[in-house]
Structures are given as C-alpha cells and as structure tokens.
Amino acid sequence: MNALHTSVHHSAVFDHPEMGEHENIVFVQDKETGLNAIIAVHDTTLGPALGGCRVWPYANPADALTDALRLSRGMTYKNALAGLDLGGGKAVIIADPRKHKSVELMEAFGLHVERLSGTYVTAEDVGVSPEDMEAVARFTQHVRGTSATGLGDPSPYTALGVFQGIKASARHVFGNDDLNGRSVSVQGLGHVGFDVARQLHEAGASLIVSDIHAPAVLKAIDTLDATAVDPAEAHAANVDIFAPCALGAGLNARTIPQIKAKVVAGAANNQLQTPADGIALKERGILYAPDYAINAGGVISIALASPGDGDRMVREKTIEIGDTLTAIFKRAESENSTPEQIADTMAEERLAKAKFN
C-alpha cells in the first residue's frame, strides 16, 4: 500500500489555513480496492483522537484535506467540552459511497487505522454504515460503534442531548425550562431532527417543521400535530425557539436578520457560516447554543458505550449537556462574550490544564 499521490503539494499542507496545531496527517492509498483517504489527527492531549470516517466524492484532494483538517479540530473541541478523555481526529475517504464503496475498501482503511497504533480511533460518519464499521473492525481494534463496542445508532443520544440543550436554553432566556405551550421551528427531520421534534411534542411544544423529504414532513404532521413550512423559511418562523437540525452554515448574514425566535438551539453541525454571525446573533438578543456543545450526545454514546453497562452511563453523561450549556450561557453573559467563544475557551482551558499536569 503506497503513499497517496495527489495534487496536494507538501507546502500546501504545511501552509494550509486549517493546519493549526495538527499532530499528524496521513495520506493513504490502496490501488487494489481504490482506497484514497486522509486521516487527520489534531490533538491527543486528552487521549486517543476519536472521530468518524466520512466517505464523500470530493471534487479534488485539496477539498478533502480541508474537510479532514477542519473536522478533526472540531472533534478535539467537542470531545474536550463533553468531558471525554479523548482527543480529536477525522478520516475522509474520497469516493462516492453509492458507487465506489466496498467491503474490501473499508477493510483496507481499517488496516491503515491499525498502523496508527491507537493514536486515532475511527467511527461511523457521513456515507458510512454500521456494516462498514464491522469491515473496518476486522483489521483494527481502534474502532467504535460496532456490535462489539457500541449501543447501535447514536442518533437517539444526539437527539436526547439536543432536547436537554433546548430546555437549558429556554431556562436561560424565559426563566424556566417548561416547554408546554412554547413554539419551536424544527428544520430537518432526519433521524436526529425527528426524534428532537418527538420529544418537544411530548413536552407540550407546538411544532413548525420542515424538510426536503416530504414523507418525513407528512409523518410529523400526522403524529406530532405539526405545521409544515418550506425549509427555506424555517428560520424566519414566528416562534420562541428555532432548532436547525439539517445542513450547516444556515446562520448567516442573510438569515439572521429574519430570525424571530429568541433561542437558536439545534443538532446541525457548523451552524454559523462565519464567526461574525455569532456576534450578529448576540447583537440581536438571540441566544445561540453552540452546535458542538449541544450535539455531543452521539460522540458520548460512541466513546462511553460498553456492552455490560447498557446505556445508563451514556444517558447520564448526555443529560449533562444541559448543565454544560447553562455554564456557557452564564459565563458568556458575565464576560460579555458569545456562547461559542466561551465554549471554545472552556475546551481550550481543559486542554491547557491537561498539558501542564
């Protein structure tokens, strides 16, 4: 298995704007299976770098590198803030998951994970199935979310954490976390979004829902007494809380002036298009729950799952997301900062403390 020959020149790697403090970047190739992958280890201060493997048809290797670097750094912060003894890493495989993915390709990837001697621990991400992780696990023990190491689908734990985070956000803004009678716009009804909507409905909230997948919307109307809107209008709904649970970068210079909600708290990754958008939300008096803080339930379930303990420890740790957000909100207020800036600071403080101990 040879080094990956790509258009990413070495100077482009070291001078890359997302390079930061990355410890290790591995380019791998296996010609027999067609594997072209990048594994990025950002930080192992707190422990092995845990982060999912994404299979995506990137336009070029440079785009794949950017994604790997950005996502691995994000995992360092997510794991640190969630109180996990794990660093941050990410793997990206350059392939169309519907056309080019195979059992043999995932096994070859597992072999390369094994060669990193436990500094990187992989798991499921976009374009990867539980069956793919079983193939990876045949060649490395440094994998989570398999039948031997996991609790199955992590999305219920992500949804539980988001629901707890919405309650904490409501408590901070409205003075209590009673969601009975509160109005919420849930944008995106995938596995996580629909489960968040279900918990909100059971708590007595009135729901406005949106998704590009019509059957999910119809199901929400039928079972959750929800009202549907176009996904492009979900952020502008006249509601108390906006819960973005679809794609990232939805909070931007165009959408933020249109938001009527007092709280933005949802499961989507990378919700802020730019750092300036977090400041814009604060200036409008809208409380933002930092995405990697509120949606950490999935990684908590992957990190802490053990076959003997069931899900008790995972649920307890996931419910603590609400407490973490409360601490972030209070500190942001006292320091006249934004919640996402404080979340970053709290993660960095934990990393700094570990480095000096």
Side-chain angles (χ1 to χ4, degrees), residues 15 31 70 93 161 199 218 250 320 326 338 344:
D15 297 335
K31 289 188 176 178
R70 192 172 288 164
I93 296 175
Q199 292 178 72
L218 293 172
E320 288 176 11
T326 296
T338 64
D344 283 357

mmCIF file of all heavy atoms in Angstrom, residues 15 31 70 93 161 199 218 250 320 326 338 344:
data_model
loop_
_atom_site.group_PDB
_atom_site.id
_atom_site.type_symbol
_atom_site.label_atom_id
_atom_site.label_comp_id
_atom_site.label_asym_id
_atom_site.label_seq_id
_atom_site.Cartn_x
_atom_site.Cartn_y
_atom_site.Cartn_z
ATOM 1 N N ASP A 15 1.241 24.985 4.946
ATOM 2 C CA ASP A 15 0.769 26.368 4.944
ATOM 3 C C ASP A 15 -0.757 26.464 4.928
ATOM 4 O O ASP A 15 -1.308 27.557 4.823
ATOM 5 C CB ASP A 15 1.322 27.118 3.715
ATOM 6 C CG ASP A 15 2.839 27.196 3.735
ATOM 7 O OD1 ASP A 15 3.402 27.133 4.844
ATOM 8 O OD2 ASP A 15 3.442 27.298 2.652
ATOM 9 N N LYS A 31 -4.327 0.622 -4.192
ATOM 10 C CA LYS A 31 -4.742 0.564 -5.594
ATOM 11 C C LYS A 31 -5.696 -0.592 -5.861
ATOM 12 O O LYS A 31 -6.573 -0.498 -6.719
ATOM 13 C CB LYS A 31 -3.507 0.473 -6.498
ATOM 14 C CG LYS A 31 -2.725 1.778 -6.549
ATOM 15 C CD LYS A 31 -1.631 1.738 -7.587
ATOM 16 C CE LYS A 31 -0.937 3.095 -7.677
ATOM 17 N NZ LYS A 31 0.169 3.084 -8.659
ATOM 18 N N ARG A 70 -10.452 20.526 9.199
ATOM 19 C CA ARG A 70 -11.476 21.295 9.908
ATOM 20 C C ARG A 70 -12.272 20.391 10.861
ATOM 21 O O ARG A 70 -12.517 20.736 12.019
ATOM 22 C CB ARG A 70 -12.402 21.939 8.872
ATOM 23 C CG ARG A 70 -13.334 22.995 9.418
ATOM 24 C CD ARG A 70 -14.048 23.696 8.269
ATOM 25 N NE ARG A 70 -13.158 24.560 7.518
ATOM 26 C CZ ARG A 70 -13.419 25.038 6.309
ATOM 27 N NH1 ARG A 70 -14.532 24.699 5.696
ATOM 28 N NH2 ARG A 70 -12.566 25.833 5.696
ATOM 29 N N ILE A 93 -12.574 9.518 3.203
ATOM 30 C CA ILE A 93 -12.286 8.648 2.065
ATOM 31 C C ILE A 93 -12.896 9.304 0.830
ATOM 32 O O ILE A 93 -14.082 9.651 0.819
ATOM 33 C CB ILE A 93 -12.872 7.242 2.273
ATOM 34 C CG1 ILE A 93 -12.201 6.559 3.481
ATOM 35 C CG2 ILE A 93 -12.724 6.396 1.020
ATOM 36 C CD1 ILE A 93 -12.798 5.207 3.841
ATOM 37 N N GLY A 161 -29.487 14.784 23.833
ATOM 38 C CA GLY A 161 -28.659 15.918 24.230
ATOM 39 C C GLY A 161 -29.197 17.237 23.698
ATOM 40 O O GLY A 161 -29.188 18.259 24.405
ATOM 41 N N GLN A 199 -39.684 14.553 21.052
ATOM 42 C CA GLN A 199 -39.536 14.898 22.471
ATOM 43 C C GLN A 199 -40.148 16.261 22.775
ATOM 44 O O GLN A 199 -40.745 16.456 23.847
ATOM 45 C CB GLN A 199 -38.053 14.881 22.845
ATOM 46 C CG GLN A 199 -37.451 13.478 22.807
ATOM 47 C CD GLN A 199 -35.964 13.472 23.125
ATOM 48 O OE1 GLN A 199 -35.563 13.672 24.257
ATOM 49 N NE2 GLN A 199 -35.138 13.261 22.104
ATOM 50 N N LEU A 218 -44.820 14.751 6.313
ATOM 51 C CA LEU A 218 -46.182 14.217 6.455
ATOM 52 C C LEU A 218 -46.329 13.401 7.736
ATOM 53 O O LEU A 218 -47.360 13.466 8.417
ATOM 54 C CB LEU A 218 -46.535 13.362 5.234
ATOM 55 C CG LEU A 218 -46.652 14.125 3.906
ATOM 56 C CD1 LEU A 218 -46.800 13.162 2.736
ATOM 57 C CD2 LEU A 218 -47.826 15.102 3.962
ATOM 58 N N GLY A 250 -26.314 27.564 8.095
ATOM 59 C CA GLY A 250 -27.645 28.144 7.954
ATOM 60 C C GLY A 250 -27.827 29.449 8.693
ATOM 61 O O GLY A 250 -28.809 30.172 8.462
ATOM 62 N N GLU A 320 -26.063 15.698 30.950
ATOM 63 C CA GLU A 320 -25.216 16.777 31.486
ATOM 64 C C GLU A 320 -24.938 17.872 30.462
ATOM 65 O O GLU A 320 -24.440 18.949 30.828
ATOM 66 C CB GLU A 320 -23.881 16.198 31.984
ATOM 67 C CG GLU A 320 -23.993 15.385 33.256
ATOM 68 C CD GLU A 320 -22.665 14.743 33.647
ATOM 69 O OE1 GLU A 320 -21.623 15.102 33.055
ATOM 70 O OE2 GLU A 320 -22.669 13.878 34.542
ATOM 71 N N THR A 326 -25.681 25.616 30.326
ATOM 72 C CA THR A 326 -26.014 26.627 31.337
ATOM 73 C C THR A 326 -24.757 27.359 31.788
ATOM 74 O O THR A 326 -24.743 28.599 31.916
ATOM 75 C CB THR A 326 -26.721 25.976 32.532
ATOM 76 O OG1 THR A 326 -27.982 25.435 32.085
ATOM 77 C CG2 THR A 326 -26.982 26.982 33.642
ATOM 78 N N THR A 338 -19.736 35.802 23.383
ATOM 79 C CA THR A 338 -20.740 34.963 22.741
ATOM 80 C C THR A 338 -20.595 33.532 23.253
ATOM 81 O O THR A 338 -19.498 33.118 23.650
ATOM 82 C CB THR A 338 -20.575 34.957 21.207
ATOM 83 O OG1 THR A 338 -19.318 34.374 20.881
ATOM 84 C CG2 THR A 338 -20.654 36.369 20.640
ATOM 85 N N ASP A 344 -15.418 27.516 23.107
ATOM 86 C CA ASP A 344 -14.039 27.310 22.660
ATOM 87 C C ASP A 344 -13.059 27.511 23.818
ATOM 88 O O ASP A 344 -12.133 26.718 24.014
ATOM 89 C CB ASP A 344 -13.687 28.286 21.535
ATOM 90 C CG ASP A 344 -14.271 27.895 20.193
ATOM 91 O OD1 ASP A 344 -14.917 26.830 20.109
ATOM 92 O OD2 ASP A 344 -14.095 28.660 19.221
#
